[in-house]
Amino acid sequence: MKMYLPPPGGKPSRRGVLKKGLWGGALLTLGGFGALFFRKSVEVPLPPGGLQVLSAREYAVLVVLAQRLLPKRAGAPTVDELGVAATCDSVLAQADATSQKEFKQLLGLFENALANFLLGARPGTFTRMAEDAQEAVLEDWRTSRLSVRRTGFLALRTLVMASYFGNPKAWGAANYPGPPAGVHQPDAPVWRGGDVPRPASSTPLEASQRDAGVAMDAGTSPDVGAGAEPHP
Amino acid sequence: MSQGRIFTGEGLLQDTVLDCDVCVVGSGSGGAWLAHELVAQGKSVVMLEEGGHHTRREFDMTEARAYPALYQELGSRTTDDLSVTLLQGRSVGGGTTVNWCSSFRTPKRILERWREQHGVDTLSEAVLGPHWDAIEQRLHIAEWPKEAMNENNKALWDGLGALGYERGLIRRNVHGCANLGYCGMGCPIDAKQSMAVTVLPDAVEKGLQLYANTSARTLTWTGRRITHVNAEVLDPTTNKPTGRVVTVRPKVTCLSGGAINSPGLLLRSGLEAGGRVGRRTWLHPVLISIARFDRPVNAFAGAPQSVYSHHFVERGPGKMGFFLEVPPVHPMLAASISNGSGRFTQALLDQLPQLQVMIALAVDGLLPEETGGTVRVRSGGYSRYSFTYDFTDAHWEAFRFAQKEMAKLQFAAGAREVFTLHADPVRLTSVDQLHLLDEAPWKPLHVRVATAHQMGGCAMGKDPGESVVDPHLRFHAMDNLYVVDGSVLPTSLGVNPQETIFGIARWAAQHVGAAV
Ligand SMILES: Cc1cc2nc3c(=O)[nH]c(=O)nc-3n(C[C@H](O)[C@H](O)[C@H](O)COP(=O)(O)OP(=O)(O)OC[C@H]3O[C@@H](n4cnc5c(N)ncnc54)[C@H](O)[C@@H]3O)c2cc1C
Ligand code: SF4
């Protein structure tokens, strides 16, 4: 029976901490050495609200990647019309610093000519390639034998798909009717205790008065105890 | 005892020091029931919750609002290599605010196994039964009527009937449910009996002080006692620390942050239990099978889960079992969790109303060769940990087998096509093509795997050399530290976990209370 305790106030020991990031040693360095290996990326106009996490160059790479990942189609808004790359940037702004860093490295790796050559034998700066070559690069990543590339493809794909299909303007393309109308009550009371008695609407009794599958209570009760409560 | 209060980041503008009997970290399945019982015993309880206090006022049923506000890491938590996508709750109510309401008592065979192999001699159906009775009553847990079943569940029901497989109707914790189908984004009418609308407000009425947007960062300890819980206030909009701190000086500390996060807090505090903290994390890893019908299924509407099958839950020695259910299908999650090229996803999403989806949840943690998931602290990470999960051959054997069974069920229910979530999706147009699944790669990152059931990492057990907490959930090497959440489960369950965690927490409250 082995007991282990670090000294009082001890810090996590080495084994409890992961030092290297998602991309491991060599690849990480490639993604980061932008200045050395980047040829000039194409320039794209920045979103009206500016960028929070991505650099102009990373943004340009993401714009092109999103265009290739979700190509233009009749009857559906384009990724640019929905500002998908800008949405990704604002989502990243809320993300953990480590995720921001890795996503930036990923974009660097997509664009990096040397990395494209070493990993996929397709030399060239991604944003400067012809569209079909760009699609071929994406396909290389998706089906690569290197798990690190498949990981990178999934990271990119997940964020772009979420940013596009999370936008109500894309729902039509998915024949998705959206949530039922008249259900959500943006003025529903919020109860946070303190000096305010619990309102009836947050007790189970009132819920029982609802008819399952049909209408909800009209909910005209005023706002009770909503908003910021200063700490005593 | 006077009424308690829910504080949020907006109101926490000063550094605060709080003394109390018990500090509970986390407001989900485990934390809520624990705190509810403790205030009923007359204890003073401070609860810290790093997520926000979100209510039906905000629950507008849109995915783009819900995932960032209500899920860990904005809904994008994964293993380090992205081979497993982790859906996990993060707000007042924890997983219960966003979960799909399926409610099962712990299977007897699992409780017996814990007793025999892990020395958990404290738990049995007899011990937990009265707790489950009380919980089921409070949360209105009842079988969802067959007549109200949506088409997505009905396809599973019909498929199971056609193949003669075991099938059952799911019990749900709902009251006045309008069968809308948006449980995963927060119930807009408070019909779901989540912790945030049931036992947490009950506990606040009895004195619970709940600090939302407040993340416990470390525990301070000397000898065998935790002296402080050190927490930071987060800005409710940006989710970043505001610089304000909350310091709690409790007599007893309980971690209820859920799997991954409770181990993470222990690791950050230098409490590693010989390297066992964060190890043996189980996921019920999920394989997803997508079918296209030529009639509308509308899997975005109606109670998300109402049918299950435990037909394959025990598959014999050396094999991993699995159970079958269906998930709700909404565009953002469906598109981001699908696989293949972007064009493939576009074509798939075009037919969203015709899609029927089944899931096979693997029962991990029961085979001797399994090591499961490992949580580590990530340098520079705030809400993100390093998390790896080790797949075994048994996982892939089970997944391949499960994919075939799901395809059979889907075709039996009338599917026209079935797709896998491979990087190169396999497309089947009839049951005669099941052999195509044998040629597909069954390996990490070649096919997508997801989970909404994180368990383990602070396993309970008798032997301190094999476990993290004792059979009464006390951290072995500390006198006043408990873990009360899904992380104490020594194995996975073979059923959806919330009611197991509710029951264990309600039971554990007497031991925690006695330690004050
Ligand atoms: C989409 C989805 C669907 C699901 N469907 C079902 C279902 O139908 N049936 C079922 O049984 N189960 C379901 N589950 C799983 C179930 O909800 C969870 O297993 C259960 O809630 C876990 O309980 P817990 O107490 O361990 O943790 P949680 O309920 O996750 O609560 C932990 C809480 O602690 C907070 N926290 C963590 N760390 C800290 C910290 N350091 N400081 C402050 N706060 C912290 C978290 O923000 C979180 O709110 C589902 C889960 C998801 C995500
Ligand atoms: S299905 Fe019922 S419980 Fe779920 S969101 Fe709709 S009304 Fe609420």
Side-chain angles (χ1 to χ4, degrees):
Chain A
M1 179 161 117
K2 203 175 71 192
M3 282 279 229
Y4 170 85
L5 263 188
K11 290 277 170 297
S13 68
R14 288 191 63 115
R15 84 179 140 207
V17 183
L18 182 88
K19 286 270 162 43
K20 71 179 166 50
L22 169 58
W23 305 102
L27 284 166
L28 182 94
T29 326
L30 279 179
F33 269 56
L36 222 51
F37 298 114
F38 269 131
R39 288 184 22 220
K40 210 168 163 343
S41 304
V42 291
E43 281 172 25
V44 301
L46 294 184
L51 292 167
Q52 301 177 67
V53 175
L54 302 177
S55 68
R57 173 176 263 176
E58 288 153 356
Y59 178 76
V61 178
L62 183 55
V63 165
V64 177
L65 280 167
Q67 288 168 349
R68 291 299 83 72
L69 203 54
L70 287 171
K72 251 193 202 115
R73 303 175 313 146
T78 65
V79 287
D80 295 323
E81 280 159 8
L82 297 195
V84 162
T87 305
C88 294
D89 181 66
S90 59
V91 171
L92 282 169
Q94 295 178 62
D96 200 272
T98 59
S99 310
Q100 294 177 353
K101 193 168 135 205
E102 285 177 5
F103 199 79
K104 287 158 76 79
Q105 285 166 348
L106 171 64
L107 294 173
L109 215 48
F110 262 109
E111 181 72 338
N112 188 304
L114 182 67
N116 280 332
F117 177 70
L118 291 179
L119 299 173
R122 257 181 231 279
T125 302
F126 181 78
T127 52
R128 296 211 160 263
M129 294 175 183
E131 288 189 11
D132 52 350
Q134 288 171 341
E135 272 203 50
V137 169
L138 265 177
E139 285 296 280
D140 282 355
W141 280 70
R142 173 166 72 89
T143 55
S144 176
R145 278 185 317 194
L146 294 172
S147 61
V148 75
R149 288 193 118 194
R150 293 199 306 274
T151 297
F153 178 80
L154 273 187
L156 173 77
R157 171 191 216 292
T158 308
L159 189 58
V160 169
M161 291 295 170
S163 299
Y164 183 83
F165 285 101
N167 190 322
K169 294 193 184 111
W171 291 349
N175 294 304
Y176 171 62
V183 173
H184 172 228
Q185 284 180 252
D187 58 351
V190 175
W191 179 73
R192 295 197 168 125
D195 303 331
V196 184
R198 189 169 169 190
S201 64
S202 58
T203 67
L205 278 171
E206 193 175 296
S208 71
Q209 278 139 27
R210 273 184 223 126
D211 189 356
V214 205
M216 275 51 72
D217 56 287
T220 45
S221 41
D223 225 12
V224 196
E229 291 282 357
H231 192 265
Chain B
M1 169 94 49
S2 61
Q3 183 163 273
R5 182 177 279 205
I6 301 175
F7 300 96
T8 63
E10 288 105 334
L12 297 170
L13 305 173
Q14 289 163 8
D15 291 354
T16 308
V17 180
L18 302 162
D19 291 298
C20 60
D21 290 332
V22 183
C23 176
V24 177
V25 177
S27 66
S29 302
W33 273 104
L34 174 68
H36 180 263
E37 298 306 301
L38 290 171
V39 293
Q41 293 169 18
K43 304 288 186 295
S44 65
V45 181
V46 168
M47 176 179 272
L48 308 176
E49 167 55 57
E50 63 182 5
H53 181 226
H54 301 285
T55 67
R56 71 185 169 106
R57 188 187 181 90
E58 295 160 64
F59 295 161
D60 63 1
M61 299 171 277
T62 61
E63 296 179 276
R65 188 204 48 76
Y67 303 141
L70 305 176
Y71 286 71
Q72 291 289 345
E73 298 180 49
L74 316 168
S76 71
R77 182 166 269 191
T78 63
T79 52
D80 291 354
D81 65 357
L82 269 63
S83 59
V84 188
T85 301
L86 284 79
L87 297 177
Q88 197 174 11
R90 179 185 189 267
S91 72
V92 171
T96 69
T97 301
V98 293
N99 79 18
W100 301 339
C101 308
S102 300
S103 304
F104 292 84
R105 294 186 177 199
T106 320
K108 191 164 178 227
R109 68 158 182 142
I110 295 292
L111 291 171
E112 278 168 2
R113 189 186 161 107
W114 292 352
R115 173 178 297 262
E116 282 156 22
Q117 300 199 10
H118 301 271
V120 182
D121 49 10
T122 45
L123 297 179
S124 64
E125 284 186 314
V127 167
L128 291 170
H131 294 284
W132 282 326
D133 290 342
I135 288 161
E136 288 167 6
Q137 195 182 6
R138 176 64 186 93
L139 303 184
H140 302 267
I141 292 176
E143 194 171 276
W144 188 239
K146 207 170 147 214
E147 311 73 60
M149 183 189 289
N150 74 359
E151 288 295 319
N152 198 32
N153 280 281
K154 186 151 187 310
L156 175 58
W157 181 259
D158 291 347
L160 291 165
L163 300 188
Y165 292 169
E166 182 261 16
R167 61 183 183 179
L169 297 174
I170 288 180
R171 304 204 302 156
R172 306 178 64 227
N173 55 321
V174 296
H175 192 43
C177 168
N179 212 3
L180 299 169
Y182 288 82
C183 308
M185 294 160 227
C187 178
I189 59 169
D190 286 354
K192 171 162 51 170
Q193 299 293 283
S194 77
M195 300 298 97
V197 303
T198 57
V199 293
L200 285 172
D202 293 356
V204 170
E205 275 187 311
K206 294 195 189 124
L208 173 67
Q209 305 287 352
L210 199 172
Y211 288 74
N213 306 115
T214 305
S215 177
R217 304 312 299 168
T218 55
L219 310 174
T220 311
W221 45 276
T222 35
R224 291 179 58 91
R225 293 193 73 78
I226 303 291
T227 55
H228 301 76
V229 180
N230 309 299
E232 294 178 352
V233 177
L234 306 181
D235 182 310
T237 349
T238 64
N239 209 12
K240 305 278 186 268
T242 62
R244 299 278 72 84
V245 299
V246 174
T247 308
V248 191
R249 297 185 297 203
K251 292 182 186 146
V252 174
T253 298
C254 290
L255 305 190
S256 304
I260 301 183
N261 281 40
S262 282
L265 175 53
L266 288 168
L267 292 173
R268 272 203 303 274
S269 308
L271 294 166
E272 303 184 352
R276 283 179 301 280
V277 169
R279 301 245 171 209
R280 300 185 68 78
T281 302
W282 312 112
L283 299 178
H284 282 160
V286 172
L287 187 78
I288 303 164
S289 179
I290 304 187
R292 186 185 59 80
F293 282 59
D294 54 14
R295 57 170 198 265
V297 177
N298 295 338
F300 41 79
Q305 296 187 320
S306 54
V307 175
Y308 71 92
S309 175
H310 287 164
H311 194 80
F312 296 105
V313 86
E314 288 176 83
R315 296 177 56 230
K319 292 216 163 132
M320 193 175 286
F322 57 88
F323 55 113
L324 297 168
E325 290 174 349
V326 307
V329 183
H330 293 96
M332 182 171 166
L333 190 59
S336 40
I337 223 158
S338 69
N339 211 342
S341 67
R343 284 178 204 278
F344 174 81
T345 297
Q346 282 175 323
L348 196 68
L349 267 280
D350 277 347
Q351 327 208 36
L352 187 83
Q354 281 87 259
L355 300 184
Q356 193 281 332
V357 181
M358 279 181 200
I359 52 178
L361 302 91
V363 189
D364 57 343
L366 300 181
L367 296 175
E369 69 267 30
E370 283 183 82
T371 52
T374 302
V375 182
R376 282 178 295 175
V377 173
R378 186 186 282 272
S379 49
Y382 195 86
S383 53
R384 186 163 175 234
Y385 297 92
S386 159
F387 182 60
T388 54
Y389 183 83
D390 294 333
F391 288 98
T392 64
D393 291 343
H395 285 84
W396 299 114
E397 185 279 333
F399 280 153
R400 180 185 358 204
F401 180 83
Q403 178 64 67
K404 288 185 182 172
E405 290 299 333
M406 289 194 286
K408 276 157 67 179
L409 290 163
Q410 288 171 315
F411 284 122
R416 293 293 165 216
E417 291 175 289
V418 171
F419 297 100
T420 68
L421 287 196
H422 279 88
D424 253 331
V426 180
R427 172 174 177 263
L428 310 174
T429 52
S430 84
V431 271
D432 304 332
Q433 294 179 319
L434 293 182
H435 61 272
L436 294 178
L437 295 170
D438 290 324
E439 291 146 33
W442 293 97
K443 285 186 267 184
L445 285 166
H446 285 273
V447 60
R448 288 201 96 157
V449 176
T451 165
H453 299 170
Q454 300 78 24
M455 298 157 281
C458 298
M460 54 182 155
K462 188 141 255 170
D463 180 357
E466 296 283 333
S467 54
V468 173
V469 298
D470 74 14
H472 292 101
L473 308 190
R474 186 180 55 79
F475 192 83
H476 281 298
M478 288 279 157
D479 291 332
N480 66 345
L481 175 63
Y482 287 75
V483 182
V484 182
D485 61 21
S487 69
V488 303
L489 310 187
T491 66
S492 81
L493 300 168
V495 295
N496 310 51
Q498 69 172 354
E499 197 172 340
T500 294
I501 301 168
F502 296 159
I504 290 177
R506 196 175 185 280
W507 160 82
Q510 52 194 307
H511 304 290
V512 173
V516 171

